[in-house]
C-alpha cells in the first residue's frame, strides 16, 4: 500500500519532457518533488504563474508570489505571470498538457466529485470544474477507500459532481487504473497489494485482464 | 492626458451605496484592495453583493466586511479559509453563489469586453449548470454563462500613473486586470502612483481607459496566508 508520497512518486512517472502541468492542492502538490530532473517541465498554478519553483528560503518570502494553495513560492528562469482569465484560457484552451488533482469519489463512467459534502463542507470548487471539464489528460490522485474502509471508486458518485465523464486515469494508494467503457481497468498493483484486495476495495465495475504487474516506483 | 487621480480613498469611493454590487480583485489575500476594503468598513454600508474569488480570512480582507454583516451576497469560487463566512452561510444570513474560478474570471472579462454571455464547458452536468442554457459544439457540451454587472470594481495594482495605467506584480495580478472596466466605475489603488510618462507604455498591463479613479494606497499590510519556506542545507 502506498502513502501520499508513494502516490505522488508513481504519478511523477506520467510527467513527460516538455509538459506544462497543473497540480492541484494536496497529494498532487507533492508530485513536483519526484519529477525526474533530466526532463524539462513547467508547473502552472491557476492563480497566474507558469514556471513555479520550490518554496522560498526563510526571509525570502514575497507576499505577492503565491501558488493556488496560497503558499509562498518562487519562480524559475523562464517563468511568467498572468491574469486569471488568461490562466483559465490556458486550461480551457487545452494548452496545459497534464492536470493532476484529488477526488473524494470517482465513478466507473469517469464522473468525479471533489468539491462539496452537503451540510458538512462547502468550500467551493475553485478551479476544479474548469480543469476537469477542459483538460484532455487528467490523473486523479486519491485514496482507494475512505477512513471507514468504504470504496471511493463507485458505480455512481453520491456527492455533488465536479465534472461528468472526464477522469481517464487514477493513481490510488492501491492501484493504477484506467477509466473507460464504463469500467475501472486495473493496470498496476501497489507493492504488496493483491488483485483480490483491489477487487474488494472497488465498488464500481473492475476489469482485470491477465497478470497485473506491480508498480515500479 | 486624461487625469484619473483622486486625493485618496474617501474621494475614490464617493458614490458607494447600500445594496450595490462590487467587484474586488485578489486571490486569497494576495493583491486585494486593502484600502478600499477598510473604507467600506468605515462607511458601514450594508446589503452589498461582492464578486471576489475568495472571502478573505476571519480578520482580514473581505472577512472584515463579513464581521460587520455588511455583505448580503458573495459570488466566489472558493471560500474555505473563513470560519465566519461558513457560519453565516450555514445559518442563512449570507447568500452565496459558488462559481467555477475560470468562469468567474471570464464573467468579469466579458463585462469588460462587452460580451453579454459566453459558453464554457466548466460545470456542465453539475449543479452549477442548473437552470442554465446548454449547447453542443463539435460534440462537446457547454453552459451559457452571463457577464457580471457591477457598480464598482475595486482593484489593487503595484504601480500606476495619473492616466490610470496599471502594472501588477507577481501573482498579485490575478483577478485585478479582469475587473478593470468591468463595472460602472473602476477604482484602482496602487503601491506607487507616478506622474504620467514615468511608466513605459510597452510595460502597461491595463490601459487607463479601463480605470476611472486612481489613488496612492496607504499602509499596505500584504498579509501572507500560508507562509511556506524550505530550509537551507
Amino acid at each position: 500500500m502506498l502513502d501520499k508520497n508513494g502516490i505522488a512518486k508513481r504519478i511523477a512517472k506520467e510527467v513527460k519532457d516538455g509538459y506544462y502541468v497543473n497540480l492541484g492542492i494536496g497529494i498532487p502538490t507533492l508530485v513536483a518533488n519526484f519529477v525526474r530532473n533530466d526532463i524539462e517541465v513547467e508547473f502552472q498554478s491557476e492563480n497566474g504563474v507558469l514556471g513555479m519553483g520550490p518554496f522560498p528560503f526563510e526571509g525570502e518570502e514575497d507576499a505577492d508570489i503565491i501558488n493556488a494553495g496560497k503558499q509562498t513560492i518562487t519562480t524559475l528562469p523562464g517563468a511568467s505571470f498572468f491574469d486569471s482569465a488568461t490562466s483559465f484560457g490556458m486550461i480551457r484552451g487545452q494548452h496545459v498538457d497534464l492536470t493532476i488533482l484529488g477526488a473524494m469519489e470517482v465513478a466507473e463512467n469517469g464522473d468525479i466529485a471533489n468539491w462539496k459534502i452537503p451540510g458538512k463542507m462547502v468550500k467551493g470548487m475553485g478551479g476544479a470544474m474548469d480543469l476537469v471539464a477542459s483538460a484532455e489528460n487528467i490523473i486523479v490522485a486519491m485514496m482507494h477507500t475512505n477512513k471507514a474502509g468504504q470504496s471511493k471508486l463507485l458505480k455512481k458518485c453520491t456527492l455533488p459532481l465536479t465534472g461528468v465523464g472526464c477522469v481517464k486515469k487514477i493513481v490510488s494508494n492501491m492501484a493504477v487504473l484506467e477509466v473507460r467503457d464504463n469500467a475501472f481497468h486495473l493496470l498496476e498493483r501497489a507493492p504488496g497489494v493483491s488483485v483480490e484486495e483491489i477487487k474488494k476495495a472497488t465498488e464500481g465495475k473492475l476489469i482485470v485482464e491477465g497478470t497485473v504487474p506491480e508498480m515500479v516506483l | 492626458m486624461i487625469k484619473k487621480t483622486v486625493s485618496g480613498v474617501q474621494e475614490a469611493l464617493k458614490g458607494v451605496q447600500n445594496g450595490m454590487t462590487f467587484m474586488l480583485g485578489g486571490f486569497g489575500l494576495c493583491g486585494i484592495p486593502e484600502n478600499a476594503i477598510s473604507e467600506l468598513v468605515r462607511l458601514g454600508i450594508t446589503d452589498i453583493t461582492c464578486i471576489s474569488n475568495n472571502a478573505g480570512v476571519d480578520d482580514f480582507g473581505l472577512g472584515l466586511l463579513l464581521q460587520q454583516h455588511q455583505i448580503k451576497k458573495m459570488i466566489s469560487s472558493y471560500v474555505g479559509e473563513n470560519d465566519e463566512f461558513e457560519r453565516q452561510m450555514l445559518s442563512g444570513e449570507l447568500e452565496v453563489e459558488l462559481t467555477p474560478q475560470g468562469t468567474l474570471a471570464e464573467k468579469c472579462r466579458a463585462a469588460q469586453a462587452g460580451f453579454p454571455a459566453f459558453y464554457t464547458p466548466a460545470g456542465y452536468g453539475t449543479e452549477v449548470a442548473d437552470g442554465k442554457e446548454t449547447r453542443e459544439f463539435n460534440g462537446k457540451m457547454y453552459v451559457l454563462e452571463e457577464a457580471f454587472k457591477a457598480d464598482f470594481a475595486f482593484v489593487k495594482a503595484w504601480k500606476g500613473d495619473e492616466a490610470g495605467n496599471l502594472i501588477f506584480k507577481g501573482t498579485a495580478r490575478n483577478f485585478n486586470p479582469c475587473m478593470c472596466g468591468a463595472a460602472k466605475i473602476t477604482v484602482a489603488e496602487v503601491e506607487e502612483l507616478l506622474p504620467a510618462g514615468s511608466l513605459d507604455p510597452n510595460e502597461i498591463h491595463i490601459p487607463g481607459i479601463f480605470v476611472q479613479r486612481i489613488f496612492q494606497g496607504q499602509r499596505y499590510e500584504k498579509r501572507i496566508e500560508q507562509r511556506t519556506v524550505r530550509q537551507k542545507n
Side-chain angles (χ1 to χ4, degrees), chain B residues 158-179:
Chain B
W158 179 34
K159 292 177 185 175
D161 69 13
E162 294 167 294
N165 297 309
L166 302 177
I167 296 178
F168 302 90
K169 180 173 162 250
T171 55
R173 193 182 311 193
N174 57 63
F175 285 82
N176 285 299
C178 313
M179 291 174 172

Side-chain angles (χ1 to χ4, degrees), chain B:
Chain B
M1 195 257 301
I2 301 170
K3 216 169 169 178
K4 304 292 173 69
T5 43
V6 293
S7 57
V9 69
Q10 294 187 11
E11 190 183 346
L13 267 69
K14 227 174 134 188
V16 298
Q17 285 171 18
N18 295 344
M20 280 187 164
T21 297
F22 301 145
M23 289 177 165
L24 297 107
F27 184 95
L29 302 178
C30 183
I32 57 172
E34 294 184 18
N35 285 235
I37 293 170
S38 301
E39 180 64 8
L40 288 171
V41 171
R42 195 189 69 81
L43 290 169
I45 59 161
T46 56
D47 294 315
I48 310 169
T49 295
C50 287
I51 299 165
S52 170
N53 189 56
N54 311 93
V57 293
D58 283 326
D59 61 345
F60 199 57
L62 287 183
L64 298 170
L65 289 170
L66 283 165
Q67 272 181 11
Q68 308 298 322
H69 301 271
Q70 292 174 263
I71 302 178
K72 179 185 73 176
K73 181 179 178 181
M74 279 294 311
I75 302 173
S76 304
S77 88
Y78 189 82
V79 293
E81 291 98 355
N82 192 316
D83 294 336
E84 174 63 11
F85 183 99
E86 198 163 17
R87 194 197 64 71
Q88 289 190 21
M89 178 168 63
L90 293 172
S91 70
E93 291 167 60
L94 182 68
E95 200 184 325
V96 180
E97 190 176 309
L98 290 167
T99 302
Q101 196 177 141
T103 301
L104 189 80
E106 204 60 31
K107 281 163 79 87
C108 297
R109 183 158 74 172
Q112 175 194 65
F115 293 109
F118 57 92
Y119 285 99
T120 176
Y124 176 75
T126 75
E127 61 183 57
V128 164
D130 286 351
K132 291 174 186 162
E133 184 190 321
T134 58
R135 186 169 161 183
E136 187 185 322
F137 293 94
N138 304 316
K140 188 168 171 159
M141 293 305 295
Y142 295 81
V143 184
L144 187 69
E145 293 282 359
E146 293 185 15
F148 283 128
K149 289 187 183 72
D151 298 293
F152 279 84
F154 298 114
V155 304
K156 149 87 187 349
W158 179 34
K159 292 177 185 175
D161 69 13
E162 294 167 294
N165 297 309
L166 302 177
I167 296 178
F168 302 90
K169 180 173 162 250
T171 55
R173 193 182 311 193
N174 57 63
F175 285 82
N176 285 299
C178 313
M179 291 174 172
C180 290
K184 286 176 197 154
I185 295 173
T186 297
V187 175
E189 56 182 85
V190 295
E191 285 177 56
E192 204 179 339
L193 183 60
L194 298 159
S198 311
L199 299 174
D200 179 349
N202 288 302
E203 309 277 321
I204 304 286
H205 292 143
I206 283 290
I209 192 169
F210 292 122
V211 175
Q212 279 68 48
R213 302 174 189 171
I214 187 167
F215 69 97
Q216 169 71 58
Q218 307 292 334
R219 294 181 297 278
Y220 281 105
E221 187 175 333
K222 295 220 250 179
R223 202 184 285 188
I224 293 175
E225 216 166 318
Q226 304 286 341
R227 185 180 301 274
T228 314
V229 296
R230 70 187 144 133
Q231 300 305 318
K232 277 184 184 154
N233 5 307

